[in-house]
Amino acid sequence: MGFDIETARITALPDEAFYISDFINEGEESRLLQKVKSAPLPRWTQLSRRRLQTWPSALTESNALLASPLPDWLRDPIIEPRFNELGLFNDAPHQAPNHVLVNEYCPGQGIMPHEDGAAYFPLVATVSLGAPIVLDMYDKHAQNDTAAKAGDARPIENGPRYRILQERRSLLVTRGKMYTDLLHGIAETRRDEKLGPESICNWELLRDKEAYQQGWFERETRTSLTYRDVLHVAKIGNTMKFLR
Ligand SMILES: O=C(O)CCC(=O)C(=O)O
């Protein structure tokens, strides 16, 4: 009998979100971290508040992905077999993720509230490595004037509407209205606090509630692997024809 994703549903959230605390084991986590760390330096984009790897490549200006497979270490065991067994991307146009962002946050670093936009099918699957972190979700209308895009966001005066604690080795899946109607961000702090069953909407699904009973934890370096399906994939052959 396979794992029933319904047991992982975050019921406090208005639309589809799922949290699986033990998605990968410790050996798999250290192998993935090793692969991330051993990537050649030019693979990294250093941003002011985190650093980033983009696999297999950055999107084009028209938000297309140049067709190219993900490397094996990002596929096995996360996509094959785990995502496939859960049927996670069955409804997505390519029935599998074709794009992964690797984000590394040192203590004090984060990402401003933003939305991921129309380049992707509205489903994000995030694997957390190395340390826990709190993801904040904001109502879109709390953001004044233009909607924010990743890297082009501004702070929000009101606090987050929902907070999700992501433990190391966990999987967080958000889709539907969670993707389209809310912004997400990670606070630039050295300590995540005010943690508890009232404030953390996936509290009951945590692997180790005891670790957060005191209501806070000190940040350590946390790495995330964010899997998505880019809607528009351009065949390299066609692109070459176009360039000629
Ligand atoms: O690191 C995370 O969990 C969030 C990453 C993110 O928001 C993004 O890549 O757009």
Side-chain angles (χ1 to χ4, degrees):
M1 224 353 232
F3 179 84
D4 177 9
I5 187 102
E6 276 309 312
T7 62
R9 184 184 284 273
I10 307 178
T11 50
L13 290 172
D15 204 13
E16 307 246 278
F18 303 90
Y19 179 80
I20 301 176
S21 59
D22 282 308
F23 185 66
I24 56 171
N25 63 39
E26 290 182 20
E28 290 162 345
E29 179 190 37
S30 55
R31 194 171 64 94
L32 285 161
L33 281 171
Q34 189 49 42
K35 287 288 186 186
V36 169
K37 284 185 188 136
S38 61
L41 210 54
R43 262 279 163 201
W44 287 104
T45 305
Q46 183 65 56
L47 303 171
S48 57
R49 302 178 186 93
R50 68 197 147 99
R51 59 176 189 157
L52 172 73
Q53 291 176 21
T54 308
W55 294 93
S57 60
L59 303 190
T60 67
E61 274 184 18
S62 58
N63 275 341
L65 177 70
L66 297 181
S68 174
L70 287 168
D72 284 350
W73 63 272
L74 283 171
R75 302 180 62 85
D76 173 18
I78 292 181
I79 301 178
E80 294 140 11
R82 310 263 160 83
F83 285 178
N84 290 348
E85 281 169 2
L86 291 171
L88 216 53
F89 281 80
N90 281 0
D91 296 337
H94 304 100
Q95 281 84 51
N98 54 17
H99 196 251
V100 181
L101 292 181
V102 179
N103 277 295
E104 184 192 76
Y105 306 85
C106 295
Q109 295 188 322
I111 185 167
M112 299 284 253
H114 65 279
E115 60 182 325
D116 289 338
Y120 307 99
F121 181 71
L123 165 61
V124 187
T126 304
V127 178
S128 288
L129 309 174
I133 213 159
V134 171
L135 183 78
D136 296 321
M137 313 280 303
Y138 298 83
D139 279 325
K140 230 175 179 176
H141 56 73
Q143 180 92 342
N144 41 19
D145 39 78
T146 49
K149 285 225 168 67
D152 177 31
R154 32 189 108 175
I156 290 183
E157 278 160 32
N158 303 325
R161 171 107 185 255
Y162 306 105
R163 299 172 75 215
I164 302 173
L165 202 167
Q166 291 172 272
E167 295 163 292
R168 61 191 295 178
R169 300 189 292 282
S170 69
L171 173 73
L172 174 67
V173 179
T174 52
R175 64 185 190 205
K177 288 205 176 73
M178 290 299 298
Y179 182 97
T180 52
D181 293 7
L182 294 168
L183 306 179
H184 57 278
I186 291 171
E188 289 170 17
T189 180
R190 294 184 162 271
R191 182 190 254 237
D192 278 306
E193 30 192 28
K194 299 195 179 125
L195 311 175
E198 301 305 315
S199 61
I200 296 295
C201 57
N202 59 326
W203 186 261
E204 289 312 319
L205 295 168
L206 294 178
R207 168 175 61 233
D208 186 11
K209 293 196 230 6
E210 288 292 308
Y212 310 107
Q213 284 301 354
Q214 80 248 35
W216 56 270
F217 63 85
E218 297 284 353
R219 286 264 185 94
E220 291 170 62
T221 300
R222 181 262 189 175
T223 302
S224 62
L225 311 178
T226 309
Y227 287 79
R228 299 186 184 88
D229 186 8
V230 178
L231 298 174
H232 183 201
V233 177
K235 294 262 159 48
I236 307 246
N238 291 347
T239 311
M240 295 306 284
K241 223 184 297 169
F242 170 75
L243 288 175
R244 273 201 295 274

